[in-house]
Amino acid sequence: MDNEQQPGHPKVRTAKRSRRYFSRTRVIMLLLLLVAIPIFLALANKTVHENAEAIRQAFGQ
């Protein structure tokens, strides 16, 4: 009976944790992707141009 609430006492509300849409991990991963994608595209573009140049030289143009 000690654990039951008495009628004169207000209910104790438990603090709800507000739910964030983006967790810290998601934000960090998003930032890493925003940095990594342009670097990857630049390296891929450089490789394509180098290969195109090698092919032009192989065919003597």
Side-chain angles (χ1 to χ4, degrees):
M1 289 211 169
D2 292 335
N3 292 338
E4 292 178 4
Q5 283 200 322
Q6 298 174 0
H9 293 274
K11 290 185 178 180
V12 177
R13 291 187 180 210
T14 57
K16 280 191 175 181
R17 195 171 156 218
S18 64
R19 240 185 117 127
R20 292 179 290 174
Y21 184 70
F22 287 111
S23 65
R24 182 175 292 162
T25 305
R26 285 186 182 179
V27 171
I28 291 171
M29 293 301 288
L30 179 65
L31 290 174
L32 286 174
L33 279 174
L34 289 175
V35 170
I37 289 174
I39 292 172
F40 175 77
L41 291 176
L43 290 174
N45 193 25
K46 180 181 176 186
T47 303
V48 167
H49 283 290
E50 288 175 355
N51 287 343
E53 185 63 32
I55 290 170
R56 282 193 203 106
Q57 288 177 0
F59 286 119
Q61 291 182 352

